[in-house]
Amino acid sequence: MSVYKNIISSFDDCSVQSYLNLLHEDYVFIRHQSGQKVSKTEWAPIVTGMFDAMREKKLKFEENRCIYENNDILVMHSIGHFPDGTKEAIMAVHTLSNGKIVKTESGATRID
C-alpha cells in the first residue's frame, strides 16, 4: 500500500499509532511558520493531540488528495478545519526512504 493510502487510512481510523508507524526514526517535521525542526519524539505528542481532536470532531481534514507519489516523495493537499473555526488549504511534502517518511514540510493558506 502506498504511503499516501496509509496516511489516509490512519486518518479515517483515527489511529495515531498507525500514523506514527509511518515515520522513520530520524523523522523531522519542519514548521512552515518558523522553519523550526521538530523531531519524531517531539512530534508524537502534537500528533496525538491532533488525532484526539479528530476523534472528538474538533479537527477535520477533507478533500485529501495525492498530488504525486513515488519511492522518494509524497506531495499531498487537503483542507483542514480547525477547532477555532478557521479553515486552511494545506500542502504537505513528505520525503520518503524505504517506505517511511523521513521529513515533512508543509505550507498552509487560510481560507475565509
Side-chain angles (χ1 to χ4, degrees):
M1 186 180 290
S2 75
V3 174
Y4 171 76
K5 288 180 182 176
N6 284 323
I7 289 172
I8 297 306
S9 179
S10 74
F11 286 175
D12 290 345
D13 298 340
C14 272
S15 175
V16 69
Q17 194 55 55
S18 293
Y19 178 82
L20 291 172
N21 288 342
L22 295 170
L23 306 182
H24 190 277
E25 287 304 310
D26 298 326
Y27 176 79
V28 175
F29 179 85
I30 300 176
R31 294 184 180 278
H32 66 274
Q33 304 97 327
S34 65
Q36 175 192 15
K37 294 180 180 180
V38 180
S39 71
K40 181 177 180 177
T41 303
E42 297 165 322
W43 184 238
I46 296 166
V47 131
T48 299
M50 290 171 59
F51 274 80
D52 289 345
M54 287 167 44
R55 235 183 324 284
E56 297 167 3
K57 308 280 190 232
K58 294 179 181 176
L59 173 65
K60 176 173 65 170
F61 295 102
E62 63 181 12
E63 299 182 42
N64 297 299
R65 57 194 171 109
C66 177
I67 304 297
Y68 183 79
E69 180 176 14
N70 67 19
N71 291 332
D72 300 316
I73 194 166
L74 165 60
V75 181
M76 296 175 55
H77 188 271
S78 62
I79 305 296
H81 297 264
F82 297 93
D84 64 0
T86 60
K87 183 166 75 168
E88 295 181 351
I90 303 163
M91 180 73 69
V93 178
H94 305 283
T95 304
L96 309 176
S97 177
N98 296 320
K100 297 277 189 172
I101 303 169
V102 292
K103 180 173 74 171
T104 300
E105 295 188 60
S106 67
T109 301
R110 189 168 174 164
I111 303 170
D112 293 321

